[in-house]
Amino acid sequence: MMQISQFEALLARVNKPARYTDGEWNAVHKDWAAARVRLALLYPDVYEVGMSHLGLHILYHVVNSHPDYLAERCYAPWTDMEAELRRAGAPLTSLESRRPLSEFDVVGVTLPYELTYTNVLNMLDLAGIPPRAADRTEEHPLVIGGGPGAVNPEPMADFFDALLVGEGEEALLEILEAARAPRREALDRLAAIPGVYLPDRYQYSPAGPGPVGAVTPREGAQYPLVRRYVADLDAAPFPTKQLVPYLDTVHSRVTLEIMRGCARGCRFCQAGACYRPRRERNLDTLLRQAEEAVAATGFDEVSLLAFTSVDYSRIEQLVTGLTERLGGRGVGVALPSLRADAFSVAIANQIQKVRKSGLTFAPEAGTERLREVIRKRLSEEDLFAAADAAFSSGWFRLKLYFMIGLPTETNEDVEAISDLVHRLLDFGRGALGPRRGRLQISVSVAGFVPKPHTPFQWVGQDETETLAEKQRILQQTLRARAVKLSWTDPAVSALEAAVSRGDRRLGAVIHRAWELGAKFDSWGEHFQPALWEQAFAECGLRLSDYAHQELPRDADLAWDHIACGPAKDALRAELDRALGGGEA
Amino acid sequence: MAQYVCRYRKGEQLRWISHLDVKRTLERAMRRAGLPLALTQGHNPHPKLSFGPPLPLGATSDAELFALHVTEAMDADEVKQRLNEQLPPGLEVTEVWALPAYRKKETFGNIDLAGYEVTLGDSVGREDLQGRVDQLLASPELIVHRGGERPERTVDLRPLIHRLEVREGDDGPVLRMRLRTGSHGGARPQEVIALLGLDEREHVRRYHRTELSTRPSADRRPGAARGRRWRRQRR
């Protein structure tokens, strides 16, 4: 263990030292010596972000509920803390026992999104664990990845001894059981667990520039590798003694997972494709879990988590039940994801605790034609009905999410976003009457990123310059005082696309970018596109081949061996339907 | 309706969480404890709580204060016990007293003195330290520049230092100080350390607050430096 006084001295010199001090209510401190397998749960982003990731809370609960296992947490140290650790020559430690990660048997890494990957390497390095799996020996922990990013494990294949593809709450205990054995034997046992992928038991044969080529198993390896999922969500373990952070994190509230998966089938959506089927928790289970969690945490808000909360089949009963049980105690209910229709607004109306500030909708595209292409089933009628319901019941701020760079998109589709926003603005002014001055519409525009396992996996992303041009169109046409426009940097979208559709060769690029100093790439103030350009160039690869290239429909793709979502034929047919005019 | 004032301790384990974090933590502990908190009216009801002057980040304390309203009166000891069952190591309610029913919401606006014990490492000798203290106390004025405030201004800290003395602690000398605090102008222990020519990182092991209190009224001179602001606020 690190000397306490040494650690305390570091804390005095960093911002928000409470990121590193643990002791949160409901944190678990198990007896180190008594545990048969010790797991460090690593989250490659800063504490406030990582603490809001439900998956990690579930796994922490599952492991610590088991008598033989222990789980502790570790979030990415902010750059000031990293500098202090490196200067002091002190290793990265877990929160709970402040032991170096290298003393654990297993380091379990969540891969929440592509732009955190350099942080994974950086954290392993800070812990004194060689980032490349090939450089690790018997003395090092097993480093096992999982989470949303694992649906295409290839770009991170070099850095993991194993990855779990799919949902973890059942598989993780099997993984820890296997990890009781010495390293070599443990790996053999891991290879036999359904859904567990050992990259070095597969071989990649690139067949052109970009992620084209087949990954084939060496003898005995699972092929295809079929992702894990929980069949009965209602019976799946769920923590009601949720961790209560001291710091103000992204979401400091009770999270209830009411539903997993989504049946809407939007063609750009990787989560919709990879978390099938759509599963619900029972109403009674949820009401009980909400009461338990509020009693165990003291949070004043319960958030109903789902890809689209209002799609839950008994959402009205759930909301009524929760407000009846909790309202009197000053505990509110939050819906993080709404559909753009009058029904959603009516539900939101029922629960709105805080002053009526804003509602968020995601039309994604400006024209019905383009919404048909991406299979976002939202008519303009619905959207205006939602706006009508919102304005007439006291809301005056709307937030709208759009994407640009979608397949078949023309400049007219982009201009149509402006047109739609202006018409909503006019409508809102009329509806709000004397309160029209408070009307505000925030428009958030992201670049489309083609993702593996979706019908759009073959589609090339718009060139960075094209995306920038489309942004300019919006900036020029969306000029109203009541409109706030925000967008993602096209260079960030390009990197996200390249890593999403990455093959095994990208491991070298990620490693090199990290060596050059890339980290916290999802944080605007830290993202340095020049480092990535240099890394690609030094590895003899082109970002464009991964991000912008339209991939041949009949070629093997670098992630075809991972059976995650719909079959490849079905995806191809869906893409044809999309491009053929959209009659699905 | 009943109102209670609680004195609490902030220990080692939680010295790195901010005043705002402590507020949130206490509020959640009250909810876990099932105390029948009185809520404000309106669209966004929240518990009626008030807190004493914030403690600097990194400091520990035996003397922090907050007040809470509940809808049903209960024994002060019960409030204390139920809260302590729900508080993490590093926070402990040490004393609870009920306020008379006619009292308005306690706001701690009258607190204007804070006592501190500053534990210094052995890098500074006892006699050296005593010399620095004597020199400081002998100064007619101690002007410091506060760049962080807007508008930037200078303050004379001398009248705000009510006591400053050197004591022997378990490991090295301890500075005991009593400083003016509160919204009408106060001195921070860090400022006194700097005035003594000491470097916080090198010499200070721990700031510990020992006391929050109110000066006897005779001590409050209307003509004092901050007097005008005081009167304006009281109007």
Side-chain angles (χ1 to χ4, degrees):
Chain A
M1 263 185 284
M2 188 196 281
Q3 290 258 307
I4 296 301
S5 57
Q6 187 191 355
F7 191 72
E8 288 279 303
L10 300 185
L11 291 177
R13 291 197 288 270
V14 298
N15 250 316
K16 298 198 186 177
R19 284 168 171 166
Y20 314 105
T21 52
D22 145 83
E24 304 102 324
W25 193 256
N26 293 333
V28 182
H29 295 82
K30 287 184 96 169
D31 181 0
W32 181 266
R36 308 269 274 281
V37 182
R38 296 136 186 156
L39 167 71
L41 288 167
L42 182 154
Y43 191 93
D45 209 329
V46 74
Y47 177 88
E48 295 93 310
V49 177
M51 272 296 276
S52 304
H53 184 86
L54 177 66
L56 204 76
H57 290 263
I58 295 178
L59 299 181
Y60 185 74
H61 164 74
V62 165
V63 175
N64 282 326
S65 301
H66 194 286
D68 292 345
Y69 307 137
L70 159 164
E72 301 190 354
R73 295 162 296 141
C74 180
Y75 303 97
W78 194 243
T79 49
D80 57 350
M81 187 57 163
E82 179 190 345
E84 294 293 341
L85 287 172
R86 291 198 188 276
R87 182 157 48 222
L92 187 63
T93 59
S94 66
L95 275 181
E96 283 82 357
S97 68
R98 282 188 195 162
R99 282 173 204 272
L101 298 191
S102 54
E103 288 182 18
F104 286 77
D105 303 302
V106 179
V107 175
V109 181
T110 301
L111 298 174
Y113 34 85
E114 294 79 3
L115 298 176
T116 60
Y117 289 178
T118 49
N119 279 11
V120 174
L121 277 62
N122 202 39
M123 290 175 78
L124 291 175
D125 180 65
L126 270 168
I129 301 170
R132 284 202 173 97
D135 299 331
R136 294 195 282 264
T137 65
E138 195 70 51
E139 62 175 297
H140 297 113
L142 290 164
V143 180
I144 301 179
V151 299
N152 176 16
E154 293 308 294
M156 290 297 275
D158 289 354
F159 313 110
F160 288 104
D161 298 302
L163 295 110
L164 171 72
V165 181
E167 299 167 12
E169 52 260 84
E170 290 169 350
L172 183 55
L173 292 179
E174 298 163 32
I175 289 171
L176 295 184
E177 179 62 33
R180 285 188 185 197
R183 187 178 185 89
R184 195 171 292 267
E185 193 192 330
L187 289 170
D188 285 338
R189 290 196 197 174
L190 285 171
I193 299 174
V196 175
Y197 178 62
L198 276 69
D200 73 349
R201 300 190 177 196
Y202 296 76
Q203 188 175 353
Y204 178 47
S205 317
V212 177
V215 174
T216 48
R218 300 182 205 275
E219 74 182 89
Q222 298 175 48
Y223 187 83
L225 195 287
V226 182
R227 56 115 197 189
R228 289 289 290 269
Y229 69 93
V230 172
D232 182 357
L233 186 67
D234 199 55
F238 189 79
T240 50
K241 290 177 81 175
Q242 296 179 5
L243 290 158
V244 184
Y246 295 110
L247 286 177
D248 193 14
T249 58
V250 177
H251 300 304
S252 294
R253 55 195 188 191
V254 167
T255 303
L256 274 193
E257 189 184 23
I258 61 175
M259 190 166 74
R260 196 178 290 181
C262 177
R264 305 203 145 245
C266 300
R267 290 178 176 130
F268 55 86
C269 181
Q270 189 181 45
C274 295
Y275 287 87
R276 294 183 178 192
R278 172 182 174 282
R279 290 148 287 166
E280 293 193 347
R281 275 205 167 86
N282 291 337
L283 182 64
D284 292 340
T285 310
L286 291 170
L287 291 173
R288 178 176 51 77
Q289 287 177 345
E291 292 237 42
E292 278 176 26
V294 167
T297 61
F299 282 131
D300 64 356
E301 190 172 77
V302 176
S303 166
L304 308 182
L305 188 74
F307 289 134
T308 310
S309 319
V310 287
D311 282 355
Y312 180 69
S313 57
R314 303 181 72 189
I315 186 70
E316 286 174 289
Q317 291 93 321
L318 178 60
V319 165
T320 310
L322 288 175
T323 37
E324 270 170 14
R325 283 171 169 77
L326 304 170
R329 279 178 262 168
V331 177
V333 179
L335 290 170
S337 52
L338 280 184
R339 233 164 40 204
D341 57 25
F343 174 75
S344 300
V345 178
I347 296 285
N349 233 340
Q350 194 181 338
I351 63 167
Q352 197 66 17
K353 181 172 82 92
V354 281
R355 71 202 155 80
K356 298 202 165 172
S357 49
L359 279 182
T360 303
F361 301 122
E364 309 290 4
T367 57
E368 302 241 352
R369 180 198 73 78
L370 193 51
R371 286 198 293 273
E372 270 304 308
V373 170
I374 63 176
R375 207 163 180 270
K376 177 81 191 187
R377 290 286 164 78
L378 166 70
S379 68
E380 211 163 289
E381 211 173 306
D382 281 338
L383 181 61
F384 276 83
D388 189 20
F391 294 137
S392 63
S393 49
W395 270 282
F396 47 87
R397 279 213 307 258
L398 293 185
K399 183 165 189 179
L400 302 174
Y401 283 106
F402 290 98
M403 280 190 279
I404 52 173
L406 289 163
T408 77
E409 182 184 67
T410 62
N411 284 355
E412 285 74 51
D413 291 305
V414 178
E415 284 158 18
I417 294 177
S418 290
D419 182 56
L420 180 60
V421 173
H422 280 294
R423 281 184 291 130
L424 273 170
L425 210 55
D426 287 340
F427 178 77
R429 288 193 181 117
L432 285 173
R435 294 167 68 233
R436 59 197 291 174
R438 301 173 76 185
L439 175 65
Q440 196 185 62
I441 301 185
S442 304
V443 180
S444 179
V445 182
F448 162 70
V449 176
K451 298 267 181 172
H453 310 296
T454 68
F456 289 162
Q457 64 179 359
W458 290 277
V459 176
Q461 188 184 46
D462 270 355
E463 296 284 342
T464 308
E465 190 37 54
T466 315
L467 272 186
E469 174 57 31
K470 289 177 176 173
Q471 281 183 356
R472 273 194 292 276
I473 293 177
L474 286 177
Q475 285 163 28
Q476 281 159 8
T477 53
L478 258 184
R479 286 169 175 267
R481 196 184 52 82
V483 174
K484 233 175 70 189
L485 177 65
S486 61
W487 57 86
T488 46
D489 178 354
V492 171
S493 301
L495 179 62
E496 193 188 333
V499 180
S500 290
R501 298 206 301 181
D503 61 9
R504 219 166 257 217
R505 290 178 289 183
L506 272 206
V509 179
I510 294 169
H511 193 271
R512 186 63 191 138
W514 164 67
E515 281 179 333
L516 292 168
K519 60 188 145 192
F520 288 108
D521 296 300
S522 61
W523 294 73
E525 71 258 48
H526 286 297
F527 177 60
Q528 298 181 66
L531 298 184
W532 284 94
E533 277 168 34
Q534 187 185 340
F536 269 100
E538 287 182 22
C539 297
L541 297 170
R542 291 192 313 178
L543 179 142
S544 193
D545 292 335
Y546 291 90
H548 305 131
Q549 184 192 183
E550 179 173 346
L551 302 176
R553 302 258 191 112
D554 48 358
D556 291 317
L557 300 177
W559 50 86
D560 280 353
H561 59 302
I562 307 290
C564 221
K568 199 172 176 184
D569 285 343
L571 293 178
R572 241 185 314 242
E574 193 66 14
L575 177 64
D576 287 337
R577 276 195 291 271
L579 302 182
E583 67 286 358
Chain B
M1 274 297 215
Q3 189 180 190
Y4 302 88
V5 174
C6 306
R7 196 192 313 278
Y8 68 100
R9 229 174 47 75
K10 188 182 184 192
E12 280 297 315
Q13 300 94 328
L14 290 185
R15 70 190 183 101
W16 294 114
I17 74 171
S18 70
H19 185 62
L20 219 73
D21 299 335
V22 170
K23 283 181 168 183
R24 266 195 297 269
T25 302
L26 286 168
E27 188 180 322
R28 289 167 184 164
M30 290 176 220
R31 220 173 281 119
R32 289 195 295 268
L35 296 178
L37 295 174
L39 303 177
T40 58
Q41 301 295 308
H43 276 303
N44 184 15
H46 54 270
K48 292 180 182 172
L49 302 172
S50 49
F51 291 83
L55 186 69
L57 194 69
T60 54
S61 173
D62 291 326
E64 301 308 289
L65 293 167
F66 71 92
L68 71 149
H69 274 271
V70 294
T71 53
E72 303 154 33
M74 58 180 82
D75 195 54
D77 276 345
E78 191 189 339
V79 173
K80 177 175 151 184
Q81 191 207 328
R82 284 170 68 174
L83 261 176
N84 277 335
E85 283 167 5
Q86 299 296 331
L87 284 174
L91 282 180
E92 184 196 353
V93 173
T94 50
E95 214 179 327
V96 177
W97 59 96
L99 288 186
Y102 59 84
R103 279 282 288 271
K104 280 191 186 162
K105 183 180 171 185
E106 176 62 72
T107 53
F108 302 111
N110 57 342
I111 286 178
D112 56 6
L113 278 181
Y116 296 92
E117 275 181 13
V118 184
T119 310
L120 301 169
D122 38 22
S123 57
V124 51
R126 164 100 207 229
E127 273 170 35
D128 175 14
L129 187 62
Q130 188 64 57
R132 291 169 192 249
V133 166
D134 293 342
Q135 196 186 353
L136 184 142
L137 290 177
S139 310
E141 58 175 18
L142 296 163
I143 304 295
V144 297
H145 180 73
R146 283 185 181 160
E149 294 184 10
R150 241 164 252 204
E152 294 193 8
R153 59 195 186 96
T154 52
V155 182
D156 179 10
L157 290 192
R158 185 61 194 89
L160 306 180
I161 300 174
H162 284 233
R163 189 172 73 196
L164 179 63
E165 60 194 26
V166 182
R167 291 285 176 85
E168 204 52 56
D170 291 339
D171 42 12
V174 171
L175 273 174
R176 295 190 62 179
M177 43 180 100
R178 182 184 264 176
L179 309 174
R180 281 271 281 285
T181 187
S183 53
H184 322 301
R188 295 187 266 265
Q190 300 96 312
E191 291 176 316
V192 177
I193 292 299
L195 284 171
L196 289 168
L198 300 173
D199 178 63
E200 199 177 29
R201 286 188 183 178
E202 193 184 337
H203 299 106
V204 175
R205 291 239 177 111
R206 182 62 36 85
Y207 292 104
H208 181 71
R209 186 137 85 185
T210 52
E211 173 197 2
L212 283 175
S213 57
T214 305
R215 281 177 299 156
S217 51
D219 209 18
R220 294 191 196 124
R221 289 169 297 133
R226 311 295 303 159
R228 272 176 61 195
R229 192 164 152 196
W230 169 256
R231 279 204 304 276
R232 195 163 57 230
Q233 287 203 340
R234 298 281 284 183
R235 202 177 291 151

